[in-house]
Amino acid sequence: MSVSEGAATTGPGEATAQRGTGTIAALTLAVLAFSFLQMLVVPAMPVIQADLGVSASDITWLQSAFLLTTAVGTPILGVVGDHFGRRRVLVAVLCVFAAGGAIGVFATSLPWLIVGRAVQGLGGAVFPLCVALVRDAVPARQVSSSVGLLTAMFGAGAAVSLVVTGPLVDHVSWHAIFALAAVIPLVAAAMVWRYVPGHVGRPVGRRRLDWPGGVLLVLAMVPILLGISSSSTDGWSSVRVLVPLAVGAVMTAVWVMWERNAPTPLMDLRLLAGRPVWPLHVGAAAVGFGMYGGVYVIAQLLQSEGVGFGLSVTTTSLLMLPAMVLGFPAATLAGVLGSWFGSRLPLVVGMLAMVAGYALMASVAEQVWSVIVGIVLTQGIGLNLAFTGLANLVVEATPITQSAEAMGVNASARTMGGSVGSQVLGVFVAAGTVTGFAWAFALPGAALLLTLLVMWAVGPALGKRVPRDG
């Protein structure tokens, strides 16, 4: 058979499948890069705190700054991706993420390190942009399993980061983790540019972007997050907390009025506030509360002297590793279950698993076995089942032209929930007592259970089954 004859036997369907495989592989690498790097600094925070000679409350700004820019930037970048091309915006976001890592490499003081983490926070738009691109690239019946694969990368990336962080911090320097954060996103950006075709994720509209709406959204969200971040040190009744929250509430009302009357609004409030969608944002906030807040409490318990276990960064990472490894098959299973039975099933099962894990740690937090099992249930199996279910439900509930916008808002809700969780639970951790840690584990479980009941009551039609292959 000649070369030309061989080429002729490759039909359009096979060529399309090959392009789709390359697209999914590149997007998977992008999500893997972000998941690997977003949690990389968390186990190292106690060491960075001691090296820089700062207080426990000051060091939390490394996570708060990251969450703040993620919460603000993700929904805006999702809209920008819908307007100017998701592939193009994804590459730019990965490059900005790398720039944040470069700042951390050379940082010798906490303020500069906080700047680097704030720049890295814009990388939060990676996942919603990738999910939207998947919807562009694969048939509808394969979207659920493909999103499950992307979500699985969060578990895989976190597992690898936990293996790498401990030895790097203990035997090299915490600067080394930021060096990785400067290189890996650039590799992912190059892969996306090379293997995601130009027509995938092309601009879905040429209408004028609502820049005033974007500025108003920033002015609304930043004061709210700053107020929440100050609560752990100043208390909820402090002027430094109440004034920013009040300003944020006023600016939120101004933003809503602007969006309702703007000729080309930044966000479609009717879509985002509709019954099929808003319960998913509430669920995302609860999952974020348990995800970011919970992992902070777990790390503090394992490394703290006295009431904690006094473990090293490496040992802490190894104890978290089983959960992160199990997260990969859990997310993959969630995608399959979503294809067969609807995406509400993995969401419900995942949130219940997180509730069970937090209840276990709240009741017997002084036993290391209970913490390990709790980590598996909350940060491994439960989180990845719930995360995949949420992502697929958002995709199913929104038009394809607004996929990145809706996913961006959902990711922002998750991040804001995590910001609240980190600060609120930090108050109980600061008490340094067994009772304090018990409450720090009980609150996320209670929030998840209450949210699940609300979602079940108002969203009974969510998660319709998508036909599977064949």
Side-chain angles (χ1 to χ4, degrees):
M1 180 182 296
S2 67
V3 174
S4 60
E5 291 172 338
T9 62
T10 302
E14 183 177 346
T16 301
Q18 291 173 349
R19 289 193 297 270
T21 300
T23 296
I24 297 300
L27 297 178
T28 299
L29 178 62
V31 173
L32 180 63
F34 175 72
S35 65
F36 174 74
L37 297 172
Q38 74 162 340
M39 301 299 290
L40 200 63
V41 73
V42 174
M45 285 173 64
V47 175
I48 298 174
Q49 175 188 340
D51 187 42
L52 297 179
V54 297
S55 67
S57 59
D58 289 338
I59 201 65
T60 60
W61 275 101
L62 290 184
Q63 191 70 353
S64 297
F66 182 91
L67 295 175
L68 191 150
T69 53
T70 298
V72 173
T74 299
I76 294 176
L77 290 171
V79 177
V80 171
D82 285 338
H83 282 281
F84 296 108
R86 296 158 186 166
R87 170 178 173 264
R88 185 184 307 164
V89 173
L90 175 59
V91 170
V93 166
L94 287 167
C95 291
V96 171
F97 195 24
I103 294 173
V105 171
F106 299 102
T108 57
S109 64
L110 184 60
W112 274 110
L113 204 55
I114 291 174
V115 170
R117 286 290 287 170
V119 173
Q120 282 185 313
L122 295 176
V126 167
F127 184 76
L129 288 169
C130 285
V131 171
L133 284 165
V134 161
R135 192 176 186 182
D136 292 336
V138 303
R141 63 179 180 273
Q142 297 176 8
V143 169
S144 181
S145 58
S146 298
V147 172
L149 177 61
L150 293 184
T151 307
M153 290 302 101
F154 271 88
V160 175
S161 70
L162 289 174
V163 173
V164 171
T165 301
L168 278 179
V169 174
D170 289 340
H171 302 291
V172 184
S173 167
W174 56 263
H175 288 279
I177 64 178
F178 286 97
L180 288 177
V183 173
I184 295 176
L186 293 179
V187 176
M191 294 291 288
V192 170
W193 190 259
R194 170 65 178 82
Y195 291 105
V196 178
H199 69 275
V200 174
R202 62 184 181 274
V204 296
R206 293 293 182 181
R207 62 190 179 99
R208 185 177 179 182
L209 193 61
D210 180 22
W211 292 111
V215 173
L216 288 173
L217 179 61
V218 171
L219 294 176
M221 295 184 69
V222 168
I224 292 174
L225 291 170
L226 287 176
I228 292 171
S229 298
S230 300
S231 63
S232 60
T233 54
D234 300 319
W236 288 97
S237 60
S238 169
V239 173
R240 293 181 59 186
V241 174
L242 295 178
V243 170
L245 290 179
V247 172
V250 171
M251 293 308 302
T252 298
V254 173
W255 175 73
V256 169
M257 288 188 293
W258 172 271
E259 291 297 286
R260 293 182 63 179
N261 296 292
T264 56
L266 179 73
M267 296 181 186
D268 186 347
L269 297 182
R270 290 173 299 178
L271 168 69
L272 300 178
R275 186 174 179 182
V277 180
W278 75 258
L280 300 178
H281 299 328
V282 175
V287 170
F289 188 98
M291 173 186 175
Y292 292 106
V295 76
Y296 167 74
V297 176
I298 290 168
Q300 291 294 326
L301 177 64
L302 292 176
Q303 295 181 42
S304 297
E305 300 287 346
V307 69
F309 297 98
L311 303 178
S312 66
V313 178
T314 299
T315 305
T316 300
S317 299
L318 291 176
L319 289 180
M320 291 184 176
L321 182 59
M324 303 308 162
V325 172
L326 289 173
F328 185 92
T332 305
L333 175 62
V336 175
L337 291 175
S339 296
W340 282 73
F341 304 108
S343 297
R344 187 171 64 171
L345 176 62
L347 173 60
V348 172
V349 174
M351 293 181 74
L352 288 176
M354 294 181 75
V355 170
Y358 282 121
L360 176 63
M361 290 188 287
S363 59
V364 283
E366 69 275 7
Q367 301 292 327
V368 70
W369 69 265
S370 71
V371 178
I372 296 174
V373 175
I375 295 171
V376 169
L377 289 173
T378 59
Q379 306 300 316
I381 297 174
L383 175 63
N384 284 276
L385 285 171
F387 198 6
T388 304
L390 274 172
N392 276 315
L393 287 170
V394 172
V395 167
E396 294 165 11
T398 55
I400 192 171
T401 56
Q402 296 172 293
S403 295
E405 175 184 342
M407 282 300 304
V409 173
N410 195 254
S412 181
R414 185 179 69 249
T415 303
M416 292 190 71
S419 181
V420 173
S422 297
Q423 299 301 325
V424 172
L425 301 184
V427 174
F428 294 97
V429 171
T433 64
V434 173
T435 302
F437 275 106
W439 275 107
F441 287 126
L443 282 178
L448 284 161
L449 183 58
L450 178 61
T451 302
L452 182 58
L453 293 175
V454 172
M455 294 177 66
W456 188 273
V458 302
L462 295 177
K464 296 180 180 179
R465 181 179 178 274
V466 179
R468 60 187 178 92
D469 293 329

